[in-house]
Amino acid sequence: MTEDLPSPALLPSGLSDLLPPEAAREAALVEAMLAVFAGHGYERVKPPLLEFEDSLLAGSGAAVAEQTFRLMDPGSHRMMGLRADTTPQVARIAATRLADVPRPLRLSYSGQVLRVQGNQLAPERQIPQAGIELIGADSAEADAEVALLGVEALAAVGIGSPSLDITLPTMAPALLDAAGVQGDLRRRLARALDRKDAAAVAELAAIAGPPAIGLAALLTAAGPADRALEALREAELPPEARAIADNAAAIVAAIRARAPALRITLDPVEFRGLQYHVGVAFTLYGPGNTGELARGGRYRSGEEPATGMTLYPDAVRRAAPATPAAPRVFIPLGADPAAAARLRAQGFITVAALSAADTPRQLRCGHILRGHDAAPIEEIA
Amino acid sequence: MTEDLPSPALLPSGLSDLLPPEAAREAALVEAMLAVFAGHGYERVKPPLLEFEDSLLAGSGAAVAEQTFRLMDPGSHRMMGLRADTTPQVARIAATRLADVPRPLRLSYSGQVLRVQGNQLAPERQIPQAGIELIGADSAEADAEVALLGVEALAAVGIGSPSLDITLPTMAPALLDAAGVQGDLRRRLARALDRKDAAAVAELAAIAGPPAIGLAALLTAAGPADRALEALREAELPPEARAIADNAAAIVAAIRARAPALRITLDPVEFRGLQYHVGVAFTLYGPGNTGELARGGRYRSGEEPATGMTLYPDAVRRAAPATPAAPRVFIPLGADPAAAARLRAQGFITVAALSAADTPRQLRCGHILRGHDAAPIEEIA
């Protein structure tokens, strides 16, 4: 390059180029995860990146309305949005074009979503997603299948021993409702729960009265699922909260039946999860400090019960073990193309000289085609 | 569904959902084509969907400026564009972040591009692309490699016997320049060439004088490459046009050396191709009436010579043979998960019952798990 202008390299904050070999790794990881989903009957859909904002922001889409880029459609003069999440689009497809397909409907997708703003913890504004939606099934088996598919997808890309965190985002609201806690006290309790401030929760719950008093005990019950489920069993819960606890126990049992060794934690009064979750919410972490690799949970897909999981291929890529690169073989000018083709069939990458000036070193080749074979080049660094 | 509102199904014109099984087919085709590119040393990059318009519309990006959606970046208050073509982004990456990688640089990509408007012939506004860029090589071998990789990628997805159409978008301008044809006469000649109106070309070329007179003969020379190259050899061409013809002959010879059976046509005075092509331009068609499956050619990547090819996965999908779907096996409630896993390893799709109400018919399964095997269900339609 004769010029070295820094400015064209500057991308908007939160938007970045994925370079070799990471871009290829990400694509391979996504396809490996989608292959797991396909093996369990999840069929791929591909909604467009842009659609009218009315449909994009309907249902669970409302949760990402503020994060959605808007554009005017010059044809219809209607506003369109760039998707900030894929689930609302899959819900639209299920409710319209696939309305006549018998339920439960198993769908998968992969693609990019765009967000208006990143934040300090997650600055990215373009986020790849790869996910599944299981629509029209409300059993504990359905939630278990979705959680276990996330685990199996991670295993397929070399991430063993993940941990599954389960939260019950409707539990705290159910307890507050049963106690009739409203207004300022409710907001203060929610904030204390959000900060996991046990002292403040205990103090405020005591003011709120009986069914809310359980909040303090449930806050400390967070941890390994068996212990948390036992705390829920022993707690005095109003009927709605009892149903939520029983459902959580059934889902954990269904997961345990198929994956006895999976590490499961349960936080009964955490209400993280996406705003639209109506039952259990899931988060998957890899071993070590990987951050969130996937999120999911139960929601409403239009009028139907649904449960789903979104894996984050960028986080998965950072957590997954690197795969060794195939060796590169230099193909001299005028060499037999069939010999190069045979090497590719054996798993080599062949890089052809395009002029007499091209050298193996310049083309980053550690091997050279000699006769029918790839001979190592000793002098290559 | 209790409600059947038609409106959520309405997408903006030119934007559509890809449903099962087509979405999975497209993804599989893209990965198969990218695997061909990777085998030849093309390394994948993934630029973002959005970037500042200054860099997006620089160089070859100017050709799609009018087709680029613009958005304000709320952080920097600078204008961003949604990419309408991937090549300008790859050029930016090559010139900046990969400036120090020795040339020639082989890069590949796949992803979506968005266009402000479709047209009657091509209404789509979201177009998948899968392509390669070969940057820093200006030999005929480089153009031949790129053209042949397009052919090999199509073969990998079952499209044999494509036809490669070569055009020389700089030939007509070179002849008009040599004849000193300017202004109105040049515009009328260009239009007559564009319409392939031989009579008008002959009439206008006669007015224009000697080097332009060859245009009429070259217009009728379009067809099989050997015949067209012979017409070019016999034509009296000014030096610049002669160089263009010699280059075309060298590229065709390099392609023929590796793919003797490939059908190649050459249209010397057609100037289709993208506006930014500076040497040969390529179009690949499948057998039958498939439409364009790929386009490419020689261009400038920043300050560097470059040649590239973009395959259109949507057109490729329509042209490629269908692959048979894997059989779906119903897994009854409570069945051994290991038995289902063994069936998946054998290539079956397993679809688990999630409640006692789920039936094989409803889950579109032609088989059912019996013991360790997938038993066909006779009564399934």
Side-chain angles (χ1 to χ4, degrees), chain A residues 327-329 343 346 348 366-377:
Chain A
R328 291 164 67 95
V329 186
L343 289 179
Q346 292 166 36
F348 288 99
H367 293 70
I368 185 167
L369 175 68
R370 289 256 163 75
H372 292 302
D373 300 316
I377 303 174

Side-chain angles (χ1 to χ4, degrees), chain A residues 26 49 103 106 126 362, chain B residues 46 49 103 126 352 362:
Chain A
E26 182 181 288
L49 285 162
R103 268 44 177 172
R106 288 170 163 95
Q126 176 174 333
Q362 167 203 3
Chain B
K46 183 194 170 199
L49 285 163
R103 268 45 175 171
Q126 176 173 332
Q362 165 203 6

Side-chain angles (χ1 to χ4, degrees), chain A residues 109-130:
Chain A
Y109 59 87
S110 80
Q112 312 298 311
V113 305
L114 288 155
R115 305 263 166 97
V116 170
Q117 284 186 307
N119 59 44
Q120 279 199 314
L121 280 174
E124 293 82 13
R125 293 200 286 168
Q126 176 174 333
I127 303 161
Q129 294 188 333

Side-chain angles (χ1 to χ4, degrees), chain A residues 1-13 15-24 26-28 31 36 38-52 55 69-76 78 80 82-83 89 92-99 101-107 112-114 116-117 125-128 134 137 139-142 145 152 257-258 301-304 328 333 337 344 348-355 358 361-364, chain B residues 1-13 15-24 26-28 31 36 38-52 55 69-76 78 80 82-83 89 92-99 101-107 112-114 116-117 125-128 134 137 139-142 145 152 257-258 301-304 328 333 337 344 348-355 358 361-364:
Chain A
M1 297 302 303
T2 56
E3 288 180 292
D4 188 7
L5 302 171
S7 62
L10 287 177
L11 290 170
S13 70
L15 295 167
S16 56
D17 296 313
L18 215 52
L19 298 182
E22 295 305 308
E26 182 181 288
E31 292 310 314
V36 167
H40 288 267
Y42 286 75
E43 296 178 286
R44 197 159 177 154
V45 293
K46 182 193 172 200
L49 285 162
L50 268 177
E51 60 176 276
F52 290 129
S55 58
F69 277 113
R70 261 55 156 226
L71 283 166
M72 168 76 87
D73 179 12
S76 65
R78 289 175 61 189
M80 303 188 293
L82 265 169
R83 69 160 170 247
Q89 297 189 297
R92 174 183 54 72
I93 291 172
T96 55
R97 299 192 59 190
L98 302 181
V101 178
R103 268 44 177 172
L105 186 61
R106 288 170 163 95
L107 299 175
Q112 312 298 311
V113 305
L114 288 155
V116 170
Q117 284 186 307
R125 293 200 286 168
Q126 176 174 333
I127 303 161
L134 174 48
S139 65
E141 287 291 333
E145 172 169 299
E152 190 177 334
R258 286 200 274 160
S301 179
E303 305 292 314
E304 301 183 272
R328 291 164 67 95
L333 212 55
R344 285 193 298 278
F348 288 99
I349 290 169
T350 65
V351 190
L354 299 172
S355 80
D358 287 350
R361 175 185 293 271
Q362 167 203 3
L363 296 179
R364 292 172 287 132
Chain B
M1 296 301 300
T2 54
E3 287 179 293
D4 188 8
L5 301 170
S7 61
L10 286 179
L11 289 170
S13 69
L15 296 167
S16 55
D17 297 313
L18 215 51
L19 298 182
E22 294 306 308
E26 183 182 287
E31 293 310 313
V36 167
H40 289 266
Y42 286 76
E43 297 177 287
R44 197 160 178 154
V45 293
K46 183 194 170 199
L49 285 163
L50 268 176
E51 61 176 275
F52 289 131
S55 58
F69 277 112
R70 264 51 159 229
L71 283 165
M72 168 76 87
D73 179 11
S76 65
R78 289 174 62 190
M80 304 189 292
L82 265 170
R83 68 162 170 248
Q89 298 190 296
R92 173 183 55 72
I93 291 172
T96 56
R97 300 192 59 190
L98 302 180
V101 178
R103 268 45 175 171
L105 186 61
R106 289 170 164 95
L107 299 175
Q112 311 299 311
V113 304
L114 287 155
V116 171
Q117 284 186 307
R125 294 200 287 169
Q126 176 173 332
I127 303 161
L134 173 47
S139 66
E141 286 290 334
E145 173 168 299
E152 191 176 332
R258 287 200 273 159
S301 178
E303 305 291 314
E304 302 183 272
R328 292 164 66 95
L333 211 56
R344 286 193 298 277
F348 288 99
I349 290 169
T350 64
V351 190
L354 299 172
S355 80
D358 288 349
R361 175 186 294 270
Q362 165 203 6
L363 296 178
R364 291 173 288 133

Side-chain angles (χ1 to χ4, degrees), chain A residues 245-381:
Chain A
D246 289 349
N247 179 245
I251 292 167
V252 170
I255 294 172
R256 283 254 185 274
R258 286 200 274 160
L262 179 64
R263 184 168 176 268
I264 310 177
T265 64
L266 175 62
D267 190 338
V269 290
E270 162 77 56
F271 47 103
R272 194 173 40 182
L274 297 173
Q275 290 172 37
Y276 52 76
H277 284 135
V278 298
V280 293
F282 301 121
T283 309
L284 280 168
Y285 295 89
N289 191 12
T290 62
E292 295 181 0
L293 303 182
R295 271 197 186 197
R298 182 158 283 284
Y299 65 100
R300 300 291 298 176
S301 179
E303 305 292 314
E304 301 183 272
T307 182
M309 175 78 80
T310 304
L311 290 113
Y312 302 121
D314 47 358
V316 171
R317 176 176 55 80
R318 288 189 286 266
T323 39
R328 291 164 67 95
V329 186
F330 181 79
I331 309 297
L333 212 55
D336 178 15
R342 278 190 295 270
L343 289 179
R344 285 193 298 278
Q346 292 166 36
F348 288 99
I349 290 169
T350 65
V351 190
L354 299 172
S355 80
D358 287 350
T359 65
R361 175 185 293 271
Q362 167 203 3
L363 296 179
R364 292 172 287 132
C365 292
H367 293 70
I368 185 167
L369 175 68
R370 289 256 163 75
H372 292 302
D373 300 316
I377 303 174
E378 300 301 337
E379 64 271 28
I380 292 287

